[in-house]
mmCIF file of all heavy atoms in Angstrom:
data_model
loop_
_atom_site.group_PDB
_atom_site.id
_atom_site.type_symbol
_atom_site.label_atom_id
_atom_site.label_comp_id
_atom_site.label_asym_id
_atom_site.label_seq_id
_atom_site.Cartn_x
_atom_site.Cartn_y
_atom_site.Cartn_z
ATOM 1 N N CYS O 13 -4.426 0.066 -37.721
ATOM 2 C CA CYS O 13 -3.879 -0.850 -38.694
ATOM 3 C C CYS O 13 -4.794 -1.982 -38.875
ATOM 4 O O CYS O 13 -5.745 -2.278 -38.090
ATOM 5 C CB CYS O 13 -2.530 -1.321 -38.198
ATOM 6 S SG CYS O 13 -2.525 -2.452 -36.777
ATOM 7 N N LYS O 14 -4.579 -2.787 -39.931
ATOM 8 C CA LYS O 14 -5.336 -3.916 -40.262
ATOM 9 C C LYS O 14 -4.788 -5.151 -39.404
ATOM 10 O O LYS O 14 -3.571 -5.208 -39.148
ATOM 11 C CB LYS O 14 -5.290 -4.197 -41.746
ATOM 12 C CG LYS O 14 -6.131 -3.196 -42.543
ATOM 13 C CD LYS O 14 -6.112 -3.541 -44.032
ATOM 14 C CE LYS O 14 -6.827 -2.478 -44.862
ATOM 15 N NZ LYS O 14 -6.798 -2.887 -46.316
ATOM 16 N N SER O 15 -5.634 -6.016 -39.115
ATOM 17 C CA SER O 15 -5.225 -7.196 -38.497
ATOM 18 C C SER O 15 -4.204 -7.966 -39.401
ATOM 19 O O SER O 15 -4.317 -8.038 -40.589
ATOM 20 C CB SER O 15 -6.457 -8.177 -38.234
ATOM 21 O OG SER O 15 -6.079 -9.315 -37.547
ATOM 22 N N GLY O 16 -3.128 -8.444 -38.655
ATOM 23 C CA GLY O 16 -2.069 -9.190 -39.339
ATOM 24 C C GLY O 16 -0.851 -8.377 -39.779
ATOM 25 O O GLY O 16 0.169 -8.986 -40.085
ATOM 26 N N THR O 17 -1.018 -7.031 -39.721
ATOM 27 C CA THR O 17 0.130 -6.210 -39.976
ATOM 28 C C THR O 17 0.977 -5.943 -38.710
ATOM 29 O O THR O 17 0.586 -6.289 -37.565
ATOM 30 C CB THR O 17 -0.314 -4.826 -40.582
ATOM 31 O OG1 THR O 17 -1.180 -4.241 -39.580
ATOM 32 C CG2 THR O 17 -1.123 -5.036 -41.813
ATOM 33 N N SER O 18 2.114 -5.389 -38.855
ATOM 34 C CA SER O 18 3.057 -5.093 -37.771
ATOM 35 C C SER O 18 3.068 -3.601 -37.585
ATOM 36 O O SER O 18 2.981 -2.820 -38.602
ATOM 37 C CB SER O 18 4.436 -5.663 -38.039
ATOM 38 O OG SER O 18 4.432 -7.097 -38.022
ATOM 39 N N VAL O 19 3.226 -3.193 -36.353
ATOM 40 C CA VAL O 19 3.300 -1.804 -36.017
ATOM 41 C C VAL O 19 4.476 -1.558 -35.142
ATOM 42 O O VAL O 19 4.735 -2.222 -34.179
ATOM 43 C CB VAL O 19 2.037 -1.359 -35.259
ATOM 44 C CG1 VAL O 19 2.133 0.042 -34.757
ATOM 45 C CG2 VAL O 19 0.745 -1.526 -36.126
ATOM 46 N N LYS O 66 6.008 -11.757 -30.060
ATOM 47 C CA LYS O 66 4.856 -10.964 -30.544
ATOM 48 C C LYS O 66 5.171 -9.422 -30.358
ATOM 49 O O LYS O 66 4.814 -8.643 -31.142
ATOM 50 C CB LYS O 66 3.672 -11.329 -29.610
ATOM 51 C CG LYS O 66 2.419 -10.435 -29.737
ATOM 52 C CD LYS O 66 1.661 -10.807 -30.877
ATOM 53 C CE LYS O 66 0.374 -10.030 -30.908
ATOM 54 N NZ LYS O 66 -0.306 -10.214 -32.230
ATOM 55 N N VAL O 81 4.787 -4.399 -32.656
ATOM 56 C CA VAL O 81 3.734 -5.424 -32.347
ATOM 57 C C VAL O 81 3.540 -6.130 -33.663
ATOM 58 O O VAL O 81 3.204 -5.603 -34.655
ATOM 59 C CB VAL O 81 2.405 -4.715 -32.016
ATOM 60 C CG1 VAL O 81 1.299 -5.718 -31.667
ATOM 61 C CG2 VAL O 81 2.544 -3.762 -30.780
ATOM 62 N N THR O 82 3.995 -7.411 -33.696
ATOM 63 C CA THR O 82 3.954 -8.224 -34.865
ATOM 64 C C THR O 82 2.649 -8.918 -35.070
ATOM 65 O O THR O 82 1.987 -9.335 -34.099
ATOM 66 C CB THR O 82 5.060 -9.272 -34.864
ATOM 67 O OG1 THR O 82 4.826 -10.160 -33.786
ATOM 68 C CG2 THR O 82 6.451 -8.623 -34.662
ATOM 69 N N SER O 83 2.193 -8.995 -36.295
ATOM 70 C CA SER O 83 0.991 -9.724 -36.657
ATOM 71 C C SER O 83 -0.168 -9.328 -35.691
ATOM 72 O O SER O 83 -0.777 -10.056 -34.920
ATOM 73 C CB SER O 83 1.115 -11.225 -36.625
ATOM 74 O OG SER O 83 -0.026 -11.902 -37.007
ATOM 75 N N ALA O 84 -0.394 -7.982 -35.733
ATOM 76 C CA ALA O 84 -1.347 -7.419 -34.650
ATOM 77 C C ALA O 84 -2.792 -8.010 -34.850
ATOM 78 O O ALA O 84 -3.213 -8.229 -35.992
ATOM 79 C CB ALA O 84 -1.446 -5.979 -34.814
ATOM 80 N N HIS O 85 -3.441 -8.141 -33.746
ATOM 81 C CA HIS O 85 -4.828 -8.606 -33.772
ATOM 82 C C HIS O 85 -5.673 -7.586 -32.941
ATOM 83 O O HIS O 85 -5.104 -6.878 -32.144
ATOM 84 C CB HIS O 85 -4.945 -10.050 -33.163
ATOM 85 C CG HIS O 85 -4.330 -11.066 -33.996
ATOM 86 N ND1 HIS O 85 -4.962 -11.573 -35.154
ATOM 87 C CD2 HIS O 85 -3.088 -11.765 -33.974
ATOM 88 C CE1 HIS O 85 -4.165 -12.503 -35.727
ATOM 89 N NE2 HIS O 85 -3.093 -12.630 -35.012
ATOM 90 N N PRO O 86 -7.017 -7.666 -33.070
ATOM 91 C CA PRO O 86 -7.806 -6.686 -32.365
ATOM 92 C C PRO O 86 -7.590 -6.685 -30.923
ATOM 93 O O PRO O 86 -7.644 -5.670 -30.231
ATOM 94 C CB PRO O 86 -9.226 -7.183 -32.777
ATOM 95 C CG PRO O 86 -9.078 -7.670 -34.132
ATOM 96 C CD PRO O 86 -7.757 -8.412 -34.112
ATOM 97 N N ASP O 88 -4.899 -6.765 -29.397
ATOM 98 C CA ASP O 88 -3.656 -6.002 -29.147
ATOM 99 C C ASP O 88 -3.950 -4.454 -28.979
ATOM 100 O O ASP O 88 -3.126 -3.742 -28.703
ATOM 101 C CB ASP O 88 -2.633 -6.271 -30.255
ATOM 102 C CG ASP O 88 -2.111 -7.663 -30.249
ATOM 103 O OD1 ASP O 88 -2.083 -8.321 -29.164
ATOM 104 O OD2 ASP O 88 -1.886 -8.200 -31.402
ATOM 105 N N VAL O 115 -6.415 -1.986 -33.685
ATOM 106 C CA VAL O 115 -6.318 -2.952 -34.791
ATOM 107 C C VAL O 115 -7.656 -3.400 -35.248
ATOM 108 O O VAL O 115 -8.476 -3.860 -34.463
ATOM 109 C CB VAL O 115 -5.527 -4.222 -34.222
ATOM 110 C CG1 VAL O 115 -5.285 -5.232 -35.406
ATOM 111 C CG2 VAL O 115 -4.197 -3.803 -33.657
ATOM 112 N N LEU O 116 -7.848 -3.190 -36.458
ATOM 113 C CA LEU O 116 -9.216 -3.517 -37.074
ATOM 114 C C LEU O 116 -9.332 -4.944 -37.634
ATOM 115 O O LEU O 116 -8.269 -5.553 -38.032
ATOM 116 C CB LEU O 116 -9.503 -2.536 -38.167
ATOM 117 C CG LEU O 116 -9.478 -1.066 -37.802
ATOM 118 C CD1 LEU O 116 -9.743 -0.215 -39.055
ATOM 119 C CD2 LEU O 116 -10.539 -0.756 -36.742
#
Side-chain angles (χ1 to χ4, degrees):
Chain O
C13 69
K14 292 181 179 180
S15 184
T17 60
S18 294
V19 175
K66 169 80 172 174
V81 183
T82 62
S83 187
H85 291 285
D88 297 325
V115 184
L116 302 176

